[in-house]
Amino acid sequence: VTATLVTRPGLGETVGAGGVYTVTCVGADGVEKWSDTFHNLVVNQGLANMNGAYLAGTAQTTTWYLGLVTGPGSGNTYAPGNTLASHAGWAENTAYTGSRKAVTFGAASTANPSVISNTASPSAFAMTGTATIAGAFLASTTDNSGILFSVGNFQGLDKSVANGDTLNVTYSFSLTAT
């Protein structure tokens, strides 16, 4: 994502934005099975929500949830126009206890880039069966009526999970001014 902010005629500032997911699978025995870190697509709905809340005075979204994308990831396609209600190129995986997991973001850093993340308290998914996971997404609700902010596939191949595994998911989002 790249945007230009004009501060004075003839002078401009470029702002870059992007997010990264990290998913770690811990087996029932407490031993890490695998981990993957991957970039995401911030969809149009997420960009509009961010700009509206910060610059136009629309209601700020303060509660966020992480969800899992089902495999096979090789068949998944993500588009800027994806929403929670309409995303024909991919599907949500729900083979875990409860609903989408709440995200507790820490404070945004004051450096350039400014980063906000939930690395201090990853969102944990207790898997209830064997499944293939391809990636993750960030949304404003536990149902499909809210805002889809971003979505992405694992950098490597799809990953297998089993009943009793726990997926710990973090999301880091950064804004960089140049």
Side-chain angles (χ1 to χ4, degrees), residues 11-114:
L11 297 176
E13 185 173 335
T14 301
V15 177
V20 174
Y21 290 94
T22 299
V23 180
T24 302
C25 179
V26 178
D29 59 2
V31 176
E32 181 178 317
K33 291 178 145 182
W34 53 262
S35 185
D36 202 334
T37 298
F38 53 99
H39 292 274
N40 66 187
L41 169 67
V42 178
V43 298
N44 296 345
Q45 189 177 47
L47 294 172
N49 176 261
M50 186 170 56
N51 273 340
Y54 194 77
L55 298 173
T58 57
Q60 180 184 11
T61 304
T62 58
T63 305
W64 293 98
Y65 299 89
L66 286 166
L68 301 174
V69 175
T70 196
S74 59
N76 289 340
T77 56
Y78 305 112
N82 283 170
T83 66
L84 283 175
S86 177
H87 49 81
W90 58 277
E92 181 174 3
N93 181 290
T94 57
Y96 53 85
T97 303
S99 58
R100 295 176 191 149
K101 304 307 174 192
V103 179
T104 302
F105 286 111
S109 66
T110 58
N112 184 15
S114 176

Side-chain angles (χ1 to χ4, degrees), residues 68 94-98 101 123-129 162-167:
L68 301 174
T94 57
Y96 53 85
T97 303
K101 304 307 174 192
S123 299
F125 293 80
M127 304 309 295
T128 58
N163 185 29
D165 288 351
T166 299
L167 294 184

Side-chain angles (χ1 to χ4, degrees), residues 43 45-46 82-84 90 137-140 146-151:
V43 298
Q45 189 177 47
N82 283 170
T83 66
L84 283 175
W90 58 277
F137 64 93
L138 183 68
S140 67
I147 297 161
L148 175 63
F149 186 80
S150 70
V151 61

